[in-house]
C-alpha cells in the first residue's frame, strides 16, 4: 500500500497526494471545552467504541471532530442536546435510525444518524464504526465493485452528489452519469436533480454504453450546453 502524503503546512497525513483539507490546529479538549456535558458524554462513548476497532487519528475542526485511518472514515458534530455521527461504509445500512445516506462512489456510502444519549452508542453503532474504520484503512475500497439497488428506507434517504458533464441526447441534452449512480437507483429510474438550488424531475436512461439523466428542457433553461460541467444532487422522486 502506498505511503501517506504529509501536508507540509500542518503535517497531517492523507492517502491522496495534495488532498484538500483544513490546516486548522485544535486540540480535542479545546473543541470539547464549550460543549455540554451531554454532548461530551456522547463523544466519549463514540471515541471509546472506536478505540476497540484499531488505531486512528482524531482531527478536531471548528464544526466537527473527524476520525482518520489512512483516510477519513467518520466524524461527530456536537450540539447542545444531541450529536450527529457520520461514517462511511462499503454498503448502505437499512436501519430507521439512519437519517441520510450519501453515495460518493461504488463503495463509499456516507451515513448519518443523530445520537441523543451516550447509551445510544449500542452494539449496532459500534459494529458500524468498526466497519467504517476498516473503510478508513481502505480494506474495503473497491472502485470496481457493483452497487446494489437501493430499496425501502435506503431509497427514501439516499442522496447522490455528482460532478458531471452535459452530453448529447436524441431529444436534446442530458447529464452523463457514472454507472454506480445509475445502478444505485435500480428499478426506480425517476429522480429529482437539484441543480443551482432548484429541483428538476428527471429519468435515468441507458444511452449506447452509458447511463444518462434526461431532464427534458431543464439544461437549456439553465443555460448549460454540450460539454459543460454541472454539479447535481440526486434523490429518488418518490
Amino acid at each position: 500500500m502506498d505511503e501517506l502524503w504529509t501536508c507540509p503546512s500542518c503535517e497531517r497525513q492523507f492517502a491522496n497526494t495534495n488532498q484538500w483539507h483544513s490546516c486548522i490546529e485544535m486540540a480535542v479538549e479545546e473543541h470539547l471545552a464549550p460543549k455540554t456535558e451531554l454532548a461530551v458524554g456522547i463523544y466519549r462513548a463514540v471515541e471509546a467504541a472506536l478505540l476497540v476497532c484499531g488505531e486512528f487519528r482524531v482531527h478536531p475542526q471548528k464544526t466537527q471532530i473527524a476520525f482518520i485511518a489512512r483516510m477519513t472514515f467518520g466524524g461527530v458534530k456536537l450540539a447542545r442536546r444531541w450529536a450527529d455521527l457520520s461514517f462511511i461504509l462499503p454498503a448502505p445500512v437499512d436501519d430507521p435510525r439512519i437519517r441520510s445516506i450519501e453515495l460518493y462512489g461504488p463503495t463509499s456510502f456516507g451515513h448519518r444518524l443523530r445520537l441523543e444519549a451516550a447509551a445510544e452508542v449500542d452494539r449496532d453503532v459500534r459494529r458500524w464504526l468498526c466497519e467504517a474504520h476498516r473503510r478508513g484503512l481502505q480494506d474495503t475500497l473497491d472502485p470496481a465493485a457493483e452497487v446494489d439497488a437501493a430499496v425501502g428506507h435506503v431509497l427514501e434517504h439516499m442522496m447522490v452528489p455528482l460532478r458531471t458533464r452535459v452530453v448529447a441526447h436524441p431529444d436534446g441534452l442530458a447529464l452523463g452519469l457514472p454507472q454506480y449512480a445509475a445502478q444505485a437507483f435500480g428499478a426506480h429510474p425517476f429522480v429529482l436533480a437539484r441543480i443551482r438550488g432548484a429541483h428538476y424531475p428527471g429519468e435515468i436512461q441507458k444511452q449506447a454504453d452509458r447511463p444518462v439523466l434526461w431532464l427534458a428542457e431543464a439544461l437549456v433553461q439553465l443555460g448549460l450546453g454540450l460539454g459543460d460541467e454541472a454539479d447535481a444532487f440526486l434523490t429518488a422522486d418518490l
Side-chain angles (χ1 to χ4, degrees):
M1 191 171 289
D2 295 338
E3 292 186 3
L4 298 176
W5 171 73
T6 301
C7 173
S9 299
C10 65
E11 298 186 350
R12 286 179 59 200
Q13 292 184 312
F14 299 90
N16 298 321
T17 302
N18 295 320
Q19 170 73 44
W20 183 93
H21 65 283
S22 169
C23 286
I24 294 174
E25 294 289 336
M26 180 182 293
V28 172
E29 297 306 322
E30 183 182 357
H31 184 99
L32 296 178
K35 305 302 182 184
T36 63
E37 182 178 349
L38 172 64
V40 173
I42 295 173
Y43 170 77
R44 295 301 186 196
V46 171
E47 183 182 54
L50 280 171
L51 286 172
V52 177
C53 304
E55 294 184 0
F56 64 97
R57 289 168 283 139
V58 177
H59 180 58
Q61 302 166 322
K62 286 185 177 180
T63 59
Q64 73 163 353
I65 298 177
F67 305 119
I68 308 166
R70 281 188 59 82
M71 59 185 294
T72 300
F73 62 87
V76 62
K77 181 177 181 180
L78 305 176
R80 290 182 58 82
R81 298 184 177 86
W82 46 262
D84 276 347
L85 176 64
S86 59
F87 47 88
I88 298 177
L89 298 179
V93 167
D94 190 0
D95 187 291
R97 290 176 292 177
I98 302 298
R99 298 168 66 92
S100 66
I101 301 175
E102 290 195 28
L103 176 61
Y104 302 116
T107 55
S108 296
F109 290 82
H111 295 68
R112 183 172 66 89
L113 75 157
R114 180 157 294 179
L115 301 169
E116 297 181 346
E120 293 181 2
V121 184
D122 59 13
R123 181 170 58 182
D124 287 334
V125 174
R126 292 194 295 270
R127 175 168 51 82
W128 297 336
L129 287 172
C130 282
E131 190 173 0
H133 179 264
R134 288 187 59 214
R135 182 62 174 75
L137 292 172
Q138 297 183 307
D139 288 348
T140 56
L141 178 62
D142 181 8
E146 292 189 359
V147 178
D148 290 335
V151 295
H153 171 266
V154 174
L155 182 62
E156 294 174 6
H157 293 269
M158 188 176 70
M159 300 174 282
V160 182
L162 294 173
R163 179 69 170 172
T164 184
R165 191 178 297 275
V166 179
V167 298
H169 185 276
D171 295 318
L173 299 172
L175 289 180
L177 289 183
Q179 188 65 38
Y180 72 82
Q183 289 176 340
F185 288 100
H188 191 92
F190 299 102
V191 300
L192 287 176
R194 191 179 74 203
I195 306 174
R196 297 179 184 173
H199 286 87
Y200 302 91
E203 181 182 0
I204 296 175
Q205 302 176 353
K206 187 169 184 180
Q207 179 175 303
D209 59 346
R210 64 183 178 186
V212 299
L213 179 61
W214 168 241
L215 295 166
E217 300 299 321
L219 299 180
V220 175
Q221 295 170 6
L222 288 165
L224 292 170
L226 188 64
D228 287 346
E229 290 189 342
D231 291 315
F233 201 79
L234 310 185
T235 57
D237 187 359
L238 301 175

